[in-house]
Amino acid sequence: MATDIQKLIGTSEEDDDEEMDMDVKEEDNEENGGKNTVAQIMAGVSGGTTSNSSDNQFQHQQQFQEQVTTPSGGARRSRPLEEKERTKLRERHRRAITARILAGLRRHGNYNLRVRADINDVIAALAREAGWDVLPDGTTFPSRSQGSRPVGGTSAAVTSSSSHLVSQQTPPASLRGVSPGYQTSVEYNTCRMRGVFMPNPSPYNLSANTQSQIPAVGEGGEQTESDLHIGGSMDTINDKQIADIPPIPKLPERDFAATPFIPVYVMLPLGVINMKCELGDPDGLLKQLKVLKSANVDGIMVDCWWGIVEAHTPQEYNWNGYSRLFQMVRELKLKLQVVMSFHECGGNVGDDVCIPLPHWVAEIGRNNPDIFFTDREGRRNSECLSWGIDKERVLRGRTAVEVYFDYMRSFRAEFDEFFADGIISMVEVGLGPCGELRYPSFPVKHGWRYPGIGEFQCYDQYLLKSLKKTAEARGHPFWARGPDNAGFYNSQPPETGFFCEGGDYDGYYGRFFLNWYTRILVDHGDRVLSLAKLAFEGTQIAVKLSGIHWWYKTASHAAELTAGFYNPCNRDGYAAIAAMLKRHKAALNFSCSELWMVDQQVDFAEALADPEGLVWQVLNAAWEVGIPIASENALPCYDRVTYNKILDNAKPLNDPDGRHFLSFTHHRLSPLLMDRQTFMEFERFVKRMHGEAAVDHQV
């Protein structure tokens, strides 16, 4: 079956017909040449035993063998023409269903499957999504964080590994938004189109109950378990059943007509400006921007990379590529949101290019690695500068805050006309890794994997000096250390003495350390925003906050603590951040607004995640002090259900104060977004964000 699918996906219609004829012929040969030949030989032998002459018996058998046997061992006789046509039709239906399944996985599940994908590609994609490592030869095994040894083998090993995942990841009995037909996470991930409801029962739903009723077919006419995951047993479904499949019912939706207008922006690709500060593909980008303009998108967002603009020499800035891009945007009458990106790109989820910090900064870091964040084992993270050097003149006579301010002033002077004309509507100031206000507590390059708690990042000499000074001022100099029982990057809270129930995080030392740790974060944001407010006076500034939702249902909220958000169950860790943003009249750009609780429960039930609870805590903290909220999707989204989730958060139902998002940014411009069906759904989403009546394109 896997070989058949690999040959069939992506082939032309004529090739399909030819291959189907060959398949039918081989099937006829196998069945007629196997079963009928044996039956007729037995009949001949039986008839020969009643003959009076042994010579006649021998001649009869010899003539029969010459009649039914071909040199290749097949049979000359074939089934009736009607049966052949029926077999070809079933095969065509099988291939059509397989093609739709793979297309759905690519479009709605964001699986990177090749054109001629087969079952091995699908299983490998599922294994990677489950956090397993898949080698090029097909060998698959749990990542190091899962503590399992590799399982050798090729495609067969992949199949056995995925079946092992089924036994390990059985979801809870009741999950919101999950059809009861999905019995395991592997079946769920295989059959789902992310965020799209799949009705039950259906002839194509291969739940455990359904599979037990379907006969297996493998080589020579036997169906394997692998075949069921891809196309189902189409031999058991006749043409009438296929024609009578009921359409997917429409999802109930809110009517967003006449609701507040929320502008929609689209984030440009990370590498739209190359390392020479040139626009990579101006003609192709112009075409895509025109398409966005046709959908009434309000503007675009783009990273202004420190590592590109000030790459070689301090205070020598090259804005050439951005000048051409901004001019193109102005001609199309779009608006701009720009990001002051003081971090490196590459090594994180979703990064498809590598843009390091400026070369002169890297040179300083080789001589003084303490300018970077450091974990307990002494590993440096060069993704961004440590907040410990905000006031230290270690960057060729300048402090880190002065370097940021000079960069922002240069940008304002270079593009002052765009500010004056209102084309630049918002400036987002990068304050940490990925441009977010947080510690780099879960770096993938250091081995972190979801849902690990991460590690504290306070072991460079500058932050340790600050910790020592604070501990001495408190009268407890022996507290000038980081926790020694906080686990490792991929630990879970119950495995540590610091984050477990009743752990040290809530003791005297734990509260002291965590208060200092989060104060460093808030003070860094306060210093940089005070200068950004001067540089971009009259323009809305914003800060990006990440949604760290795993372990949210535990008492300690361990993943948030290591990231700098002092938000255990008995304390609001986001109120201080919201108050700081309020002082600078800055907007809060919060990701995670589209994440579904169901995805976290199915894939990592043990993570005790609650993205919805986190979203509402952060939104309420911001709205409580009256700061505007912008948002963006943390994961790729192209389907209606995810868009509806964003709309519900952007425009809360029956809110007595009429609160809503300031803007929304879609991540990001890509060929998949430009796909016709995907773009129609996105265009509908834009209209609903604008408060317009939207036509339902779904059939």
Side-chain angles (χ1 to χ4, degrees), residues 531-604:
L531 297 177
K533 187 178 177 181
L534 292 175
F536 305 122
E537 185 177 2
T539 301
Q540 179 70 64
I541 59 176
V543 170
K544 184 178 179 181
L545 207 64
S546 60
I548 302 178
H549 51 81
W550 53 103
W551 306 116
Y552 188 85
K553 288 185 176 181
T554 61
S556 62
H557 292 218
E560 292 172 89
L561 297 186
T562 58
F565 306 130
Y566 189 9
N567 189 51
C569 63
N570 57 355
R571 188 180 187 276
D572 186 357
Y574 299 97
I577 297 174
M580 181 267 293
L581 297 179
K582 174 69 174 179
R583 288 196 297 271
H584 302 290
K585 298 180 180 179
L588 171 62
N589 185 5
F590 186 59
S591 59
C592 183
S593 63
E594 87 290 357
L595 292 182
W596 278 82
M597 184 72 175
V598 62
D599 286 338
Q600 310 306 321
Q601 282 192 346
V602 169
D603 296 335
F604 296 95

Side-chain angles (χ1 to χ4, degrees), residues 264-285:
V264 177
Y265 293 75
V266 174
M267 187 72 173
L268 294 186
L270 294 170
V272 65
I273 303 293
N274 62 28
M275 290 301 297
K276 297 179 180 180
C277 202
E278 299 172 344
L279 197 56
D281 181 15
D283 295 334
L285 180 61

Side-chain angles (χ1 to χ4, degrees), residues 460-680:
D460 61 84
Q461 64 168 316
Y462 303 103
L463 287 180
L464 286 177
K465 183 173 66 174
S466 172
L467 178 59
K468 180 181 179 181
K469 182 179 179 181
T470 306
E472 291 174 349
R474 178 73 178 269
H476 301 289
F478 52 90
W479 281 356
R481 57 177 176 81
D484 55 7
N485 59 347
F488 304 97
Y489 283 114
N490 294 304
S491 299
Q492 298 186 6
E495 302 170 354
T496 71
F498 192 81
F499 298 115
C500 66
E501 191 77 23
D504 293 345
Y505 79 93
D506 204 27
Y508 290 110
Y509 160 73
R511 291 196 296 269
F512 160 79
F513 173 79
L514 292 173
N515 269 301
W516 168 82
Y517 194 68
T518 194
R519 180 176 59 80
I520 294 295
L521 177 146
V522 175
D523 288 349
H524 170 71
D526 193 29
R527 283 190 289 266
V528 177
L529 288 183
S530 63
L531 297 177
K533 187 178 177 181
L534 292 175
F536 305 122
E537 185 177 2
T539 301
Q540 179 70 64
I541 59 176
V543 170
K544 184 178 179 181
L545 207 64
S546 60
I548 302 178
H549 51 81
W550 53 103
W551 306 116
Y552 188 85
K553 288 185 176 181
T554 61
S556 62
H557 292 218
E560 292 172 89
L561 297 186
T562 58
F565 306 130
Y566 189 9
N567 189 51
C569 63
N570 57 355
R571 188 180 187 276
D572 186 357
Y574 299 97
I577 297 174
M580 181 267 293
L581 297 179
K582 174 69 174 179
R583 288 196 297 271
H584 302 290
K585 298 180 180 179
L588 171 62
N589 185 5
F590 186 59
S591 59
C592 183
S593 63
E594 87 290 357
L595 292 182
W596 278 82
M597 184 72 175
V598 62
D599 286 338
Q600 310 306 321
Q601 282 192 346
V602 169
D603 296 335
F604 296 95
E606 75 279 6
L608 298 175
D610 187 4
E612 292 176 328
L614 174 63
V615 166
W616 282 110
Q617 181 186 356
V618 174
L619 296 188
N620 287 327
W623 279 328
E624 189 70 24
V625 297
I627 61 175
I629 297 176
S631 186
E632 59 188 44
N633 50 302
L635 299 174
C637 64
Y638 305 100
D639 61 88
R640 180 168 301 186
V641 173
T642 310
Y643 285 141
N644 287 342
K645 184 66 176 177
I646 295 171
L647 283 160
D648 287 336
N649 288 329
K651 303 179 182 184
L653 182 63
N654 299 326
D655 186 277
D657 300 317
R659 297 175 294 191
H660 56 84
F661 285 0
L662 174 67
S663 65
F664 178 80
T665 301
H666 185 282
H667 274 213
R668 64 184 65 242
L669 183 62
S670 65
L672 184 55
L673 180 62
M674 294 290 103
D675 178 79
R676 181 176 178 273
Q677 288 297 120
T678 305
F679 192 79
M680 288 174 61

Side-chain angles (χ1 to χ4, degrees), residues 140-174:
T140 182
F141 52 91
S143 62
R144 295 179 180 176
S145 61
Q146 298 182 11
S148 297
R149 290 179 296 180
V151 179
T154 55
S155 60
V158 178
T159 306
S160 63
S161 300
S162 63
S163 64
H164 178 60
L165 282 174
V166 175
S167 63
Q168 285 186 332
Q169 301 184 19
T170 303
S174 176

Side-chain angles (χ1 to χ4, degrees), residues 1 4 23 26-28 30-31 35 79 94 214-224 227 233 235-236:
M1 178 64 181
D4 292 339
D23 293 342
E26 291 174 1
E27 186 177 353
D28 293 338
E30 289 175 2
E31 294 185 4
K35 299 177 182 179
R79 284 190 284 179
R94 187 201 306 273
I214 299 178
V217 184
E219 293 184 6
E222 295 182 356
Q223 189 166 9
T224 64
D227 298 334
S233 178
D235 292 331
T236 64

Side-chain angles (χ1 to χ4, degrees), residues 17 50 95 108 132 144 146 161 164 184 187 236 271 279 312 315 341 351 410 418 426 449 486 511 513 533 578 642:
D17 291 337
T50 60
R95 294 174 183 179
H108 304 289
W132 288 47
R144 295 179 180 176
Q146 298 182 11
S161 300
H164 178 60
T184 66
E187 291 176 36
T236 64
L279 197 56
H312 303 289
Q315 295 181 283
S341 297
D351 290 351
S410 173
F418 292 89
M426 180 185 291
R449 296 294 182 270
R511 291 196 296 269
F513 173 79
K533 187 178 177 181
T642 310

